[in-house]
Amino acid sequence: MSVRSGRFAEITHPFTPRAPCGPIEPVFPALLRSVIFFAALAMPFVIALVAA
């Protein structure tokens, strides 16, 4: 007879992943942020070259 009751009734994990975490997930937002940062740094030089 396998009646589950008491403290061993059900073990639930609060952090159940919905999708498998690949190595690209943490890399892509950081890469996007760095591209935006370097584009913002280069923007005054690009504007100065176009205006000249």
Side-chain angles (χ1 to χ4, degrees), residues 19-43:
C21 295
I24 194 67
E25 288 187 9
V27 172
F28 185 67
L31 188 66
L32 191 63
R33 274 194 307 255
S34 63
V35 166
I36 291 172
F37 175 74
F38 286 119
L41 270 180
M43 191 61 64

